[in-house]
Amino acid sequence: MSLPHAILTALLEKPSSGLELTRRFDKSIGFFWSATHQQIYRELGRLEDGGLIEALPQPPSRGQRKEYRVLPDGRAELSRWVGEGQDPKPIRDPLLLRLRAAAVVGTDGLDAELRRHLTVHQQQLDEYTAIEARDFPAETSAQENRLHHTVLRAGIALETFWVDWLSEALAALTPPAS
Amino acid sequence: MSLPHAILTALLEKPSSGLELTRRFDKSIGFFWSATHQQIYRELGRLEDGGLIEALPQPPSRGQRKEYRVLPDGRAELSRWVGEGQDPKPIRDPLLLRLRAAAVVGTDGLDAELRRHLTVHQQQLDEYTAIEARDFPAETSAQENRLHHTVLRAGIALETFWVDWLSEALAALTPPAS
DNA sequence: AAGGCCATGTAAGTAGTTACATGATTGA
DNA sequence: TCAATCATGTAACTACTTACATGGCCTT
């Protein structure tokens, strides 16, 4: 149950409408939590019903922009949730499964898929390092900034892992023609 | 939709009953795909209905062990799936989200949670490296073996990433009392 | 005959995905 | 006025989770 807390965090950083949130979930928020606009609108409704956020009093009609901000109860709930414990989820990765399956039924078509993933992860890595260069040029001592940087570095390290591992996997797939 | 293919892979590696599969999903299969016994029994039923696997003809009653094996259609389906394309899923990690939220509402209780995760990932890493030392003592040229080793190395590298990153995050959380 | 474990399931709920629907605003 | 885009939603479905139910077998 992390989506509501992702939304609370985003709204505390900056009050937004549903569509703005969707855009932010495609960018910076998306580095650690992804969500579609359908999920976001549904959850905004729930959070409003629960009294954790409110819409700026304005338009009752449909295609109209609706801006939300966090209420004190919402902030308290987020603060409570930060200290909550939650075990890390076990791995569930289709690509690793494909490799294992390929060991039984053959590697047909796997090569291309690995190359494709390598490209995707390399691009993501480039994007993250560009953001790091732009937003965190030197170490600062501001706590908030350091936390943001730490989260970004997790993204960088994860993408680096994938790039390295995919290269290794490609090598394992096509042994040197000796 | 990877669970059926995880089961097909497991059954091809070794025909099993539902409970045996559950145990294997807690061990080696679980390194890349986790599943509970409820998921497994349901999916076994679907795969049998679909003619991809069959139960060894035996017991019609409830508390009785039922052994499954893969039919030719099942093997063909798995082979097809291996070559199928599927984009990597975007990150969705509650712990990273907690760090980001902590930047807004404060880091209360986060320290303990990071330490706890560090312990969990260190243990998992130790387990993986023990398996590596036991099962892959030297490089072999058998394709199947190399693929298995590559998958295991992904697990090792991922756990290593978490251990390193969590240590760094703890340092960022508690700045040096200068 | 009772308790524990082996083994297979059912039921209900939550979260996420995919496809589609509807209205408002703006510029050609 | 038409098309594109902004903006908010509904509906149906799939996957996963959590809690519980049922029966068989073995040991004491």
Side-chain angles (χ1 to χ4, degrees):
Chain A
M1 267 245 309
S2 301
L3 176 60
H5 304 98
I7 291 178
L8 287 172
T9 303
L11 286 181
L12 279 171
E13 289 177 354
K14 183 180 180 323
S16 304
S17 67
L19 191 62
E20 275 170 3
L21 278 177
T22 302
R23 299 244 161 85
R24 293 171 61 200
F25 271 81
D26 281 338
K27 294 188 214 165
S28 57
I29 309 281
F31 296 166
F32 46 89
W33 201 271
S34 68
T36 62
H37 83 270
Q38 291 92 335
Q39 278 181 283
I40 289 167
Y41 283 117
R42 185 162 16 122
E43 198 60 46
L44 282 171
R46 287 178 190 160
L47 288 168
E48 194 179 13
D49 288 348
L52 301 188
I53 64 173
E54 66 173 359
L56 296 195
Q58 276 264 24
S61 84
R62 193 171 171 119
Q64 291 289 84
R65 182 191 163 80
K66 221 158 67 179
E67 180 115 355
Y68 291 94
R69 70 177 156 206
V70 179
L71 293 172
D73 279 1
R75 178 180 280 266
E77 163 59 22
L78 186 61
S79 186
R80 184 200 64 74
W81 179 82
V82 164
E84 195 179 82
Q86 192 173 8
D87 281 335
K89 288 237 173 115
I91 298 176
R92 203 173 264 167
D93 190 303
L95 192 60
L96 296 180
L97 175 56
R98 276 193 170 80
L99 242 76
R100 181 83 172 218
V104 186
V105 298
T107 60
D108 270 19
L110 196 53
D111 192 83
E113 180 70 355
L114 291 178
R115 281 180 211 285
R116 200 172 62 86
H117 279 240
L118 184 53
T119 308
V120 171
H121 286 294
Q122 183 65 60
Q123 277 170 3
Q124 191 68 64
L125 177 55
D126 292 346
E127 193 185 322
Y128 286 172
T129 48
I131 291 169
E132 188 182 34
R134 193 193 61 204
D135 293 352
F136 306 97
E139 270 321 306
T140 66
S141 53
Q143 170 84 331
E144 182 189 328
N145 217 36
R146 250 184 311 124
L147 286 173
H148 281 198
H149 193 180
T150 303
V151 172
L152 179 59
R153 270 204 286 252
I156 291 175
L158 273 172
E159 297 301 334
T160 301
F161 150 71
W162 279 114
V163 168
D164 292 349
W165 180 81
L166 282 165
S167 306
E168 181 192 319
L170 274 165
L173 207 64
T174 340
S178 63
Chain B
M1 269 245 308
S2 301
L3 176 59
H5 304 98
I7 292 178
L8 287 172
T9 304
L11 287 181
L12 279 170
E13 288 177 356
K14 181 179 181 325
S16 302
S17 67
L19 190 61
E20 275 171 1
L21 277 178
T22 302
R23 301 245 159 85
R24 293 172 61 199
F25 270 81
D26 281 338
K27 296 189 214 163
S28 59
I29 310 280
F31 298 165
F32 47 90
W33 201 271
S34 68
T36 62
H37 82 270
Q38 291 90 337
Q39 278 181 283
I40 289 167
Y41 283 117
R42 185 158 18 112
E43 197 61 47
L44 282 172
R46 286 179 191 159
L47 287 168
E48 193 178 14
D49 288 348
L52 300 189
I53 64 174
E54 67 172 359
L56 297 196
Q58 277 263 24
S61 86
R62 196 173 169 117
Q64 292 289 83
R65 180 191 164 79
K66 221 157 69 176
E67 179 116 355
Y68 292 95
R69 71 177 156 206
V70 179
L71 293 172
D73 278 3
R75 178 180 280 266
E77 163 58 22
L78 185 61
S79 185
R80 185 201 61 74
W81 179 81
V82 164
E84 197 179 79
Q86 192 173 8
D87 281 334
K89 288 236 173 116
I91 299 175
R92 202 175 265 165
D93 190 302
L95 191 61
L96 296 181
L97 176 55
R98 278 192 169 80
L99 243 76
R100 182 82 174 219
V104 187
V105 298
T107 60
D108 271 19
L110 196 53
D111 192 81
E113 179 71 355
L114 291 178
R115 282 181 211 284
R116 199 170 64 83
H117 279 240
L118 184 52
T119 308
V120 171
H121 285 295
Q122 183 64 59
Q123 276 171 3
Q124 190 69 65
L125 177 55
D126 292 345
E127 192 184 324
Y128 286 172
T129 48
I131 291 169
E132 188 182 34
R134 192 192 62 203
D135 292 353
F136 305 97
E139 271 320 307
T140 66
S141 53
Q143 170 82 332
E144 183 188 327
N145 218 35
R146 249 185 308 126
L147 287 174
H148 282 198
H149 194 181
T150 303
V151 171
L152 179 60
R153 270 206 286 253
I156 291 175
L158 273 172
E159 298 301 334
T160 302
F161 150 71
W162 279 115
V163 167
D164 291 349
W165 179 82
L166 283 165
S167 306
E168 180 192 318
L170 275 165
L173 209 61
T174 340
S178 64

